[in-house]
Amino acid sequence: MLTLADVLEALTGVRPEAASLLISEAAIDSRQVIPASLFVALKGERSDGHDYIQQAFERGAQLALVQRETGIACPVLDVRYGLSSQVTLPRPPFCIRVENTLHSLQTLATYWRRKHDIRVIGITGSVGKSTSKELIAEVLSQRYRVLKTQGNLNNEIGMPLTLLRLTPGHHVAVLEMGFYVEGEIAFLCEIAQPQVGVVTSIGTVHAERAGSQENIARGKSELVQSLPPPPVGTAVLNWDDAWVRWMADKTHAQLFKYGLDPRTDLWADEIESLGLKGIRCRLHYRGESLHLRVPMIGRHSVHTLLRAAAVGLVEGLTWQEIAYGLQHSQSQLRLVTVNLSNGAMILDDSYNASPESVLAALNLLAEIEGRKIAVLGDMLELGQYERQGHEKVGVRAAEVVDELITVGELGKIIGVTAHKAGLSSAKIYTLASTQEATDLLRARLNAGDVALIKGSHGLRMDRIVASLEAEA
């Protein structure tokens, strides 16, 4: 377990022997502080953690990293200019003053990662990172004790918080790595030192910030570029995605290719969707085949399954261990089903949206029996691919749905395109708000209907589900 001595050594290079205070974990939200934790006061756009130090101490924090005066009655150990090995330490709770709390958090995480001889699996991509992380962790847990990213803590703050939860009992860390700007993943890799890098796919989400799909691919390729050469490093690449294939020449690590192509290292065929009951498929690896039925929804989930199996193979698991981990997985897409009291069903995939994930959700909707309704909101941060992405979704919606409800300004593009693709204008409802969509659904949903709810998080499409579920 992390100690005060570790914190001080990481930040100053000096390790006072008297600093034996144990630290349970690190937190940046005072509401999530547990006893004996380290509270890191970060200054954000909307709030400043320095204003919540007293609350953190009241909840049991023993230490707080600060970078300015706090205004509370609290002992302060200033380490900005170094530390004497003979320092007299204050009694907890107390503050440790540094130049920059975020940089200190990252420095501490880097130090703590290097104190542990573990395998680190890094995962990046435009779609499927979180689900892949969960399934990979479940497969590896058949043999190893696994630390994984909690939720979507996949950035320069979340990853250090995850790594500070490492203990000597962990064998593997499975870490999700997000991308917004060039150099971000390279920086995360400096902290985490991954030996295995998994790339899911390269889409258009975040193109507004990155500029182009090529820039997104270049940014995400920083993961495979950071990997060590064989036999330690392995890049697990989706060979069905052209941009991911492009990364093969960007790494010194060994390649492990997965997909639906028999020329890859691990490939799948005989894929059959069972609707909400999961999928069936056959996996092939080095002349061996494995038939599986896995409780993951939609044909597109086969790539998630392949990623988890690939990492299992790279990490030395047997087919039996991999199969058990996949078949008994509790992982799933963020999509969940909600059964309403009138016999209708909601497919809640409202967490977020990109063209790739919306198309996958529509494909799933197509596989389910019943009158099909799609409630689709704006897909944000697509940059130059904004119109193209919404038009692709509109074309597929016209092929799948019986009724289409769009929410938001960009949602109008989906509706217009769906009409051009053959969906009757009488079956298309163009709305401005989630409340309007909720009211319309309430009036339109009947027994046997299936309604998909999906849109970018900024539209809060989850409010539609919450309102209908509360009534149910």
Side-chain angles (χ1 to χ4, degrees):
M1 183 179 287
L2 189 70
T3 67
L4 173 58
D6 293 314
V7 174
L8 296 177
E9 183 177 22
L11 299 181
T12 69
V14 175
R15 187 180 182 88
E17 291 305 320
S20 58
L21 183 70
L22 294 177
I23 298 171
S24 56
E25 64 175 45
I28 60 170
D29 187 332
S30 62
R31 296 166 297 182
Q32 297 175 353
V33 164
I34 64 173
S37 61
L38 166 68
F39 179 67
V40 184
L42 299 181
K43 189 178 187 310
E45 295 180 2
R46 299 180 181 177
S47 63
D48 188 339
H50 293 80
D51 298 330
Y52 299 93
I53 293 172
Q54 185 61 49
Q55 290 93 320
F57 285 156
E58 290 171 358
R59 291 184 64 88
Q62 301 201 79
L63 303 170
L65 282 185
V66 303
Q67 64 185 41
R68 65 168 175 81
E69 296 293 336
T70 64
I72 66 172
C74 169
V76 178
L77 178 64
D78 194 333
V79 301
R80 289 177 295 172
Y81 310 108
L83 187 69
S84 167
S85 59
Q86 305 302 315
V87 64
T88 300
L89 299 172
R91 293 183 64 182
F94 66 90
C95 295
I96 300 175
R97 186 162 183 181
V98 296
E99 285 288 349
N100 183 292
T101 50
L102 175 57
H103 180 262
S104 295
L105 171 64
Q106 294 161 345
T107 299
L108 178 57
T110 303
Y111 163 92
W112 193 237
R113 157 67 182 97
R114 282 156 180 73
K115 293 270 284 187
H116 293 80
D117 182 18
I118 60 167
R119 296 281 288 176
V120 174
I121 318 296
I123 305 170
T124 195
S126 298
V127 178
K129 292 189 298 297
S130 294
T131 309
S132 297
K133 174 251 303 180
E134 294 292 334
L135 192 57
I136 289 170
E138 290 197 46
V139 167
L140 293 178
S141 68
Q142 302 308 308
R143 181 180 296 189
Y144 304 116
R145 186 177 176 195
V146 180
L147 173 71
K148 65 180 180 180
T149 302
Q150 295 297 310
N152 62 345
L153 296 177
N154 60 13
N155 61 10
E156 75 282 4
I157 298 173
M159 177 176 287
L161 291 173
T162 298
L163 285 171
L164 290 177
R165 292 172 45 233
L166 273 173
T167 71
H170 287 115
H171 306 107
V172 181
V174 182
L175 305 177
E176 187 178 329
M177 297 184 176
F179 163 80
Y180 286 106
V181 295
E182 185 177 353
E184 184 171 11
I185 289 181
F187 177 67
L188 296 178
C189 289
E190 287 179 16
I191 297 173
Q193 296 288 295
Q195 296 100 338
V196 177
V198 181
V199 186
T200 65
S201 65
I202 302 300
T204 53
V205 65
H206 305 316
E208 186 174 48
R209 301 188 198 188
S212 69
Q213 204 166 3
E214 181 178 0
N215 288 346
I216 294 170
R218 187 178 297 114
K220 292 185 182 295
S221 73
E222 291 169 3
L223 171 56
V224 300
Q225 291 178 50
S226 75
L227 299 173
V232 177
T234 303
V236 180
L237 302 181
N238 178 1
W239 218 243
D240 294 335
D241 186 302
W243 282 112
V244 179
R245 289 199 304 273
W246 169 82
M247 297 181 190
D249 295 330
K250 309 299 178 183
T251 184
H252 297 294
Q254 178 177 330
L255 295 182
F256 190 107
K257 300 173 282 187
Y258 70 90
L260 306 183
D261 188 332
R263 292 170 294 182
T264 57
D265 298 294
L266 174 68
W267 56 284
D269 65 0
E270 297 184 7
I271 304 162
E272 179 186 1
S273 173
L274 306 174
L276 298 177
K277 296 179 181 179
I279 58 172
R280 284 197 188 100
C281 67
R282 182 175 61 168
L283 302 187
H284 302 266
Y285 177 70
R286 292 185 176 177
E288 297 184 23
S289 297
L290 178 68
H291 289 267
L292 287 173
R293 176 173 172 172
V294 179
M296 300 195 71
I297 300 174
R299 287 177 58 88
H300 60 283
S301 295
V302 73
H303 280 91
T304 306
L305 183 158
L306 284 166
R307 284 187 277 275
V311 174
L313 291 167
V314 168
E315 294 304 303
L317 270 66
T318 64
W319 269 126
Q320 289 75 18
E321 290 171 317
I322 292 170
Y324 190 89
L326 294 172
Q327 292 175 323
H328 294 82
S329 167
Q330 299 300 311
S331 299
Q332 190 42 265
L333 307 176
R334 289 191 173 99
L335 182 149
V336 296
T337 60
V338 178
N339 294 307
L340 302 184
S341 55
N342 68 351
M345 182 170 65
I346 300 290
L347 299 181
D348 177 11
D349 198 5
S350 58
Y351 176 79
N352 218 334
S354 66
E356 297 80 11
S357 65
V358 177
L359 291 172
L362 286 169
N363 290 341
L364 171 62
L365 182 63
E367 298 168 357
I368 299 174
E369 293 184 2
R371 190 170 70 104
K372 299 169 179 57
I373 302 172
V375 186
L376 305 178
D378 296 352
M379 296 177 289
L380 306 177
E381 299 186 29
L382 299 184
Q384 63 178 299
Y385 305 104
E386 185 175 88
R387 175 165 290 277
Q388 174 189 340
H390 286 82
E391 287 177 346
K392 282 184 177 180
V393 167
V395 170
R396 183 56 179 151
E399 298 169 343
V400 171
V401 306
D402 297 297
E403 291 188 3
L404 173 65
I405 301 171
T406 69
V407 180
E409 284 299 311
L410 296 175
K412 292 178 181 178
I413 301 174
I414 298 174
V416 169
T417 307
H419 178 53
K420 290 180 180 178
L423 187 63
S424 168
S425 59
K427 301 295 184 181
I428 301 173
Y429 304 86
T430 303
L431 306 177
S433 69
T434 56
Q435 184 57 57
E436 291 177 273
T438 303
D439 294 339
L440 180 60
L441 268 183
R442 189 181 291 115
R444 300 292 302 163
L445 279 175
N446 298 304
D449 292 351
V450 183
L452 168 68
I453 316 292
K454 193 158 179 66
S456 281
H457 185 64
L459 270 74
R460 293 305 306 271
M461 301 287 283
D462 57 305
R463 292 174 178 168
I464 301 173
V465 181
S467 295
L468 295 174
E469 189 173 13
E471 294 170 11

